[in-house]
Amino acid sequence: PPPLAVAAAIAAHFLRRALWTAVCAYVTGYAMFTRRLLPTRVAAVAARAYFYPTLPLTYARLYLLPPRAGLWTAVDDTVLVGAAPCAFLRHPARLKRLGVAGVVNLCAEYAGPVRAFEKLDMAQRPRRAGFDRAESSTRSRDVGARTSRPRRRRRLVSP
């Protein structure tokens, strides 16, 4: 065979091998992340790396699978807890129709649809410490919910 064909075959082989290695590393890292096997600092970086690629799966799971068939769950008459709202899917407008007046963001890897909230005159409290797969402290959640209830209007606490 001509040398160019041999070089192309070798390049294709290494490209397939590199792609397979990258996919295996990504899946293994995700499995370790979801099982909470990574050190805290590594998990914080992993949370940022896996947030956007897995967001469609998160939304699909929340929409379709019990026990939570929906993005948000009412804790009481003033607080909802749920998934990160997305402006592209018009979540801020849905939240506004549900009577949500403000959002407490507990997700360090996603700022949320800040401009959409501003346009709808919805307050978003500063992001609280924490990242996906790391529990926010109870104090952080309580302070967020408490500071969000001054007028007994509904709030979304988004982990």
Side-chain angles (χ1 to χ4, degrees):
L4 189 55
V6 171
I10 291 171
H13 170 75
F14 282 112
L15 184 60
R16 278 193 303 272
R17 181 66 65 101
L19 183 60
W20 178 249
T21 302
V23 168
C24 287
Y26 189 84
V27 169
T28 301
Y30 184 72
M32 292 177 69
F33 172 65
T34 58
R35 304 248 187 266
R36 298 181 181 172
L37 299 174
L38 298 176
T40 304
R41 288 184 185 200
V42 176
V45 173
R48 290 188 193 328
Y50 293 119
F51 181 78
Y52 287 104
T54 60
L55 194 58
L57 299 173
T58 301
Y59 285 149
R61 179 181 55 84
L62 291 174
Y63 273 122
L64 303 173
L65 299 177
R68 282 188 54 201
L71 293 175
W72 306 292
T73 302
V75 173
D76 60 24
D77 62 339
T78 62
V79 176
L80 299 175
V81 176
C86 175
F88 177 77
L89 297 174
R90 296 184 181 94
H91 291 158
R94 274 180 62 194
L95 289 168
K96 186 72 170 181
R97 285 193 303 272
L98 288 171
V100 173
V103 174
V104 177
N105 187 348
L106 300 176
C107 182
E109 58 270 20
Y110 175 60
V114 177
R115 287 191 193 119
F117 287 143
E118 288 172 354
K119 285 181 184 177
L120 294 169
D121 195 32
M122 295 170 68
Q124 176 169 300
R125 303 286 185 222
R127 289 190 282 180
R128 304 278 178 198
F131 57 89
D132 197 13
R133 295 287 172 212
E135 295 297 323
S136 302
S137 71
T138 304
R139 182 180 182 285
S140 177
R141 286 191 302 260
D142 289 347
V143 167
R146 194 171 44 254
T147 60
S148 296
R149 295 192 211 191
R151 287 179 250 138
R152 300 288 296 167
R153 294 170 70 190
R154 275 193 136 163
R155 311 291 183 199
L156 172 70
V157 179
S158 176

